[in-house]
Amino acid sequence: NWNAIGQSVLVHVILLIYTLIALFPVILVVMNSFKTRQAIFRNPYALPTPETFSLAGYETVLFRANFPLYFTNSLIVTGGTLLAIFFFGSMAAWALSEYKFKGNTLLGLYMAIGIMIPIRLGTVELLRLVSSLGLLNSLPGLILVYTAQGLPLTIFVMTQFMRDVPRDLKDAARVDGASEYRIYWMVVPLVRPALATVMVFTMIPVWNDLWFPLILAPAESVKTLTLGAQVFMGQFLND
């Protein structure tokens, strides 16, 4: 018992140390945000004092930039992309995994090509396409591009997991008179771990992307958080 207690305490101590190490950069940034620029470079690890305390950084962010708008735009783009990828990706994966037809394998391979070929190679053509659709400097244009970017991985992963769902379960539902759409919505909850993993791997590149917002939507009203932060840093770095 004492060995088990000792091991538990040791594990908790190690986790606490790792947590402090992970949080230290965040604490340092927050602490320095209340100091003047000279004080930051003179002693970045010192706490703010009456002589070094300053709110100039927060005043600049709040009154000379529009970060709430940038944050809202990023939420709309990321959320819209995830919804579209979930809907179209899971339905395409369901069709490829459930129905056997001529060209099924080739169609699956064709959809998986997007995993191997970076979408940024087609930036010029995407720009022309989005422009021809009248979606430049718009959030729907970004959502469409990011949806196309995330669908190949989603379809590839979800197809494999949906094939592992017992076929007897789906056939029993058909015998009971369930429609194909009802069976589809019955299968989706069974592959939630895979779906959640795909959504996370899709969300991170979309939220952090700078390339497509800079090319397709650089207008102030549709800037994402990443683009807005980069422009802000370039504008006020030497302030």
Side-chain angles (χ1 to χ4, degrees), residues 76 107 223:
I76 293 173
L107 183 59
K223 279 180 182 174

Side-chain angles (χ1 to χ4, degrees), residues 34-35 46-54:
F34 293 100
K35 293 161 60 176
L47 292 171
T49 64
E51 293 76 20
T52 61
F53 182 82
S54 174

Side-chain angles (χ1 to χ4, degrees), residues 119-175:
I119 193 172
R120 293 185 181 183
L121 293 178
T123 299
V124 175
E125 292 303 320
L126 283 173
L127 179 60
R128 292 176 180 173
L129 178 61
V130 172
S131 178
S132 65
L133 294 173
L135 295 177
L136 275 179
N137 286 320
S138 69
L139 299 182
L142 286 176
I143 292 174
L144 288 176
V145 171
Y146 287 135
T147 300
Q149 174 182 293
L151 278 177
L153 178 63
T154 303
I155 295 173
F156 179 78
V157 174
M158 295 301 296
T159 300
Q160 306 306 316
F161 276 86
M162 284 186 172
R163 282 176 179 163
D164 293 336
V165 176
R167 190 165 188 85
D168 293 342
L169 180 66
K170 294 176 282 188
D171 290 339
R174 290 188 177 96
V175 170

Side-chain angles (χ1 to χ4, degrees), residues 64-65 67 70 210 213-214 217-220 223-238:
R64 303 184 66 179
F67 276 95
Y70 304 155
L210 175 64
L214 181 63
E220 179 68 20
K223 279 180 182 174
T224 60
L225 186 62
T226 303
L227 178 58
Q230 290 296 322
V231 173
F232 179 83
M233 287 293 295
Q235 182 176 1
F236 294 102
L237 182 63
N238 296 320

Side-chain angles (χ1 to χ4, degrees), residues 11 18 28 33-34 44 51 57 73 81 107-108 117 119 127 141-142 147 153 177 187 203 208 227 229:
V11 169
Y18 281 147
L28 184 65
S33 69
F34 293 100
E51 293 76 20
N73 290 337
T81 300
L107 183 59
I117 301 178
I119 193 172
L127 179 60
L142 286 176
T147 300
L153 178 63
V187 170
M203 179 193 72
N208 293 330
L227 178 58

Side-chain angles (χ1 to χ4, degrees), residues 155-217:
I155 295 173
F156 179 78
V157 174
M158 295 301 296
T159 300
Q160 306 306 316
F161 276 86
M162 284 186 172
R163 282 176 179 163
D164 293 336
V165 176
R167 190 165 188 85
D168 293 342
L169 180 66
K170 294 176 282 188
D171 290 339
R174 290 188 177 96
V175 170
D176 290 338
S179 65
E180 294 299 310
Y181 290 104
R182 183 70 178 273
I183 299 173
Y184 160 75
W185 286 113
M186 180 186 69
V187 170
V188 168
L190 300 178
V191 293
R192 281 180 298 180
L195 186 60
T197 303
V198 170
M199 292 296 103
V200 169
F201 278 99
T202 301
M203 179 193 72
I204 293 174
V206 173
W207 182 269
N208 293 330
D209 187 43
L210 175 64
W211 180 255
F212 285 119
L214 181 63
I215 300 298
L216 303 178

